[in-house]
């Protein structure tokens, strides 16, 4: 099994907190799509193992704002994917969308494509906060977009929320959560606001135009998030992600499980199990260079693609970080089998102080009692960054 990630870099406008690669030059969409299709066609062998290209089980269109792409171009992208790859009939196919793009006509178009999961960037239902963030929609539009998608028969909807916004109070955050729960969505991702360097938000903080939320308030918001969502019949299956039973994000879960994936488009990352590589974060260069490729070999040593071969220690560190973020935890039996006794013992030794403090626990996998899992406890979730850092292996 494997996945495909497609980066759609276009946005109608830039949000003040975003540091993902994007551009407002939508006039390049046609040229970009042609280059993207060429990359999809020529890089199919990237996922090949044992002489065959694995079945694609997840497809994710992220951005940027994929919902801004004209329907004809979206259809061409999907046609190319299904022509070049064997896609499972039950594949999860996700597209990110902004609420203001989800007109009744756009929803009808999405319904005609292979899309079966929507990830809607709501961020907050508070109109004042939305204006501050330079979002293009308002709270009512977000609610109406979700309802319209549900009325059209889309039954796998996720929304993104951000907490710790400037001047946001705990009651403000609770109101956002209550509104989200009333929408009867299947999935919710919630992230603490990060002041990424060189974003407009970063500069606004430097100029004292906005003030960062105190750590104590952000922690209280995270605690409220967990309590509200788990009480509302959501599974807290990853630190920032909550799903109703049966509606975990299969694509994101594949990242956390170390499943190979191909990333296409400017700035997109790929992983084949042994190395990571990523495309240049520049639309014009991507279009020129990728569009000029004529064979798979043109991508092998391409100057616009960075590549990093992973040592066993880097693979171990990736496993620790991704596994401990999830409710499934780190499989210690598999760790010993795949990484050897030295790293397994190192992990347990580093974990011991946190186990004694009740921040980590070892429990058995329900289906196979012989497999031990190392997991964050409820208390440990709130200190996860420091705990995971302690378990990482630092090469001399």
């Amino acid at each position: 099994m494997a996945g495909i990630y497609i980066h759609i870099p276009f946005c109608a406008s830039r949000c003040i907190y975003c540091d993902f690669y994007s551009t407002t030059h939508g006039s390049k969409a046609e040229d970009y799509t042609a280059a993207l299709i060429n990359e999809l066609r020529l890089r199919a062998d990237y996922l090949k193992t044992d002489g065959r290209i694995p079945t694609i089980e997840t497809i994710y269109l992220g951005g940027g704002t994929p919902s801004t792409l004209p329907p004809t171009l979206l259809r061409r992208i999907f046609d190319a994917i299904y022509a070049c790859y064997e896609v499972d009939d039950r594949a999860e196919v996700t597209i990110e969308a902004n609420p203001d793009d989800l007109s009744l006509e756009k929803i009808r178009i999405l319904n005609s494509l292979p899309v079966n999961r929507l990830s809607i960037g709501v961020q907050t239902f508070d109109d004042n906060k939305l204006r501050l963030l330079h979002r293009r929609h308002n709270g009512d539009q977000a609610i109406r977009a979700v309802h319209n998608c549900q009325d059209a028969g889309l039954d796998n909807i996720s929304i993104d929320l951000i907490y710790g916004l400037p001047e946001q109070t705990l009651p403000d955050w609770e109101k956002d959560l209550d509104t989200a729960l009333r929408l009867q969505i299947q999935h919710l991702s919630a992230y603490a606001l990060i002041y990424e360097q060189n974003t407009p938000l970063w500069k606004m903080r430097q100029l004292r135009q906005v003030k960062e939320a105190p750590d104590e308030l952000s922690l209280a918001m995270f605690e409220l998030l967990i309590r509200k969502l788990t009480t509302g019949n959501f599974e807290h299956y990853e630190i920032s992600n909550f799903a109703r039973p049966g509606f975990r994000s299969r694509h994101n879960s594949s990242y956390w499980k170390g499943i190979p994936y191909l990333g296409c488009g400017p700035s997109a990352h790929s992983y084949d199990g042994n190395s990571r590589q990523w495309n240049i974060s520049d639309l014009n260069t991507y279009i020129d260079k990728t569009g000029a490729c004529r064979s798979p070999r043109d991508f092998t040593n391409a100057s616009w693609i960075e590549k990093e071969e992973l040592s066993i220690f880097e693979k171990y560190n990736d496993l620790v970080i991704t596994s401990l973020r999830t409710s499934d935890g780190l499989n210690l039996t598999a760790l010993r089998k795949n990484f050897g006794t030295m790293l397994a013992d190192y992990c347990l030794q580093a974990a011991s102080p946190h186990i004694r403090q009740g921040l980590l626990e070892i429990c058995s996998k329900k289906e196979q009692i012989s497999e031990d899992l190392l997991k964050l406890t409820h208390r440990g979730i709130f200190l996860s960054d420091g705990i995971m850092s302690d378990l990482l292996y630092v090469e001399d």
Side-chain angles (χ1 to χ4, degrees):
M1 60 181 292
I4 293 177
Y5 172 80
I6 304 292
H7 189 73
I8 308 295
F10 303 108
C11 289
S13 60
R14 293 293 305 272
C15 303
I16 64 171
Y17 56 84
C18 182
D19 74 332
F20 292 122
Y21 176 70
S22 65
T23 176
T24 56
H25 295 157
S27 60
K28 298 278 187 178
E30 187 91 30
D31 292 338
Y32 159 76
T33 301
L36 174 69
I37 290 172
N38 199 39
E39 182 180 9
L40 282 164
R41 182 173 61 87
L42 295 177
R43 289 190 68 198
D45 281 354
Y46 177 82
L47 293 171
K48 184 179 287 187
T49 54
D50 300 325
R52 61 179 295 274
I53 299 172
T55 301
I56 302 302
E57 297 199 356
T58 65
I59 299 169
Y60 194 104
L61 274 66
T65 314
S67 55
T68 63
L69 207 62
T72 53
L73 299 185
L74 284 173
R75 192 174 301 281
R76 284 172 56 188
I77 291 169
F78 279 114
D79 286 347
I81 293 172
Y82 279 77
C84 297
Y85 300 84
E86 181 183 344
V87 180
D88 191 283
D89 291 340
R90 297 163 297 176
E92 176 192 86
V93 183
T94 304
I95 186 169
E96 293 181 348
N98 275 2
D100 52 305
D101 290 330
L102 292 172
S103 64
L104 293 175
E105 176 63 13
K106 179 58 72 71
I107 294 169
R108 185 191 66 77
I109 291 165
L110 293 178
N111 251 337
S112 71
L113 297 171
V115 173
N116 53 33
R117 184 175 184 271
L118 278 181
S119 178
I120 304 176
V122 173
Q123 317 312 354
T124 176
F125 296 96
D126 185 314
D127 289 349
N128 290 327
K129 299 293 187 297
L130 287 167
R131 282 191 290 269
L132 171 67
L133 298 176
H134 287 198
R135 299 293 291 173
R136 291 183 285 122
H137 66 277
N138 59 42
D140 286 341
Q141 281 179 302
I143 293 169
R144 189 162 58 252
V146 173
H147 287 320
N148 287 340
C149 290
Q150 291 167 333
D151 291 343
L154 291 163
D155 59 0
N156 193 352
I157 297 173
S158 176
I159 69 170
D160 286 356
L161 294 178
I162 300 177
Y163 61 92
L165 299 171
E167 298 183 16
Q168 186 181 39
T169 65
L170 195 59
D172 291 338
W173 177 231
E174 184 168 23
K175 185 177 179 182
D176 272 352
L177 292 174
D178 288 339
T179 302
L181 286 168
R182 284 195 298 270
L183 290 175
Q184 296 298 307
I185 53 174
Q186 286 71 40
H187 189 280
L188 187 143
S189 300
Y191 306 97
L193 181 67
I194 298 176
Y195 288 70
E196 300 286 2
Q197 194 166 3
N198 297 325
T199 60
L201 182 64
W202 170 279
K203 295 171 184 174
M204 290 169 69
R205 185 183 62 177
Q206 296 294 94
L207 295 171
R208 301 181 184 274
Q209 295 171 345
V210 295
K211 186 177 180 181
E212 193 168 356
D215 289 343
E216 298 79 8
L217 177 58
S218 291
L219 180 59
M221 289 178 169
F222 186 45
E223 290 175 328
L224 181 64
L225 167 70
I226 295 172
R227 187 167 67 253
K228 282 274 187 183
L229 270 291
T230 53
T231 302
N233 195 33
F234 279 80
E235 175 191 15
H236 187 194
Y237 74 102
E238 194 271 345
I239 286 177
S240 302
N241 287 273
F242 300 78
R244 295 196 187 276
F247 286 95
R248 291 186 181 190
S249 168
R250 288 164 52 195
H251 186 83
N252 288 339
S253 293
S254 70
Y255 294 155
W256 305 322
K257 293 177 181 177
I259 295 171
Y261 60 91
L262 171 67
C264 295
S267 82
H269 285 233
S270 302
Y271 172 67
D272 65 3
N274 295 304
S275 66
R276 300 190 186 282
Q277 61 185 63
W278 54 99
N279 293 344
I280 192 167
S281 297
D282 182 274
L283 179 63
N284 291 329
T285 303
Y286 173 81
I287 290 172
D288 292 342
K289 299 292 187 181
T290 306
C293 287
R294 293 295 175 264
S295 72
R297 280 183 295 180
D298 292 338
F299 284 94
T300 304
N301 298 308
S303 60
W304 71 94
I305 298 179
E306 298 287 337
K307 187 172 183 179
E308 176 189 22
E309 295 289 341
L310 300 175
S311 70
I312 189 171
F313 303 110
E314 290 168 322
K315 291 180 183 179
Y316 161 81
N317 288 341
D318 284 349
L319 178 68
V320 167
I321 291 172
T322 54
S323 298
L324 285 182
R325 288 189 63 88
T326 71
S327 60
D328 293 336
L330 173 60
N331 189 318
L332 295 173
T333 307
L335 174 65
R336 190 171 297 276
K337 176 182 176 182
N338 297 327
F339 289 87
T341 300
M342 188 274 282
L343 280 174
D345 289 347
Y346 175 87
C347 179
L348 284 173
Q349 183 178 359
S352 292
H354 299 296
I355 293 173
R356 289 194 297 269
Q357 295 170 37
L359 303 175
L360 286 171
E361 62 181 351
I362 296 178
C363 54
S364 295
K365 193 173 182 180
K366 291 180 181 178
E367 300 84 4
Q368 294 173 283
I369 302 301
S370 61
E371 293 194 355
D372 289 332
L373 303 174
L374 181 66
K375 302 170 65 172
L376 291 166
T377 64
H378 181 74
R379 285 178 53 219
I381 290 173
F382 300 98
L383 301 167
S384 57
D385 287 347
I387 295 169
M388 289 186 288
S389 177
D390 288 346
L391 270 60
L392 299 183
Y393 187 89
V394 181
E395 297 181 67
D396 295 331

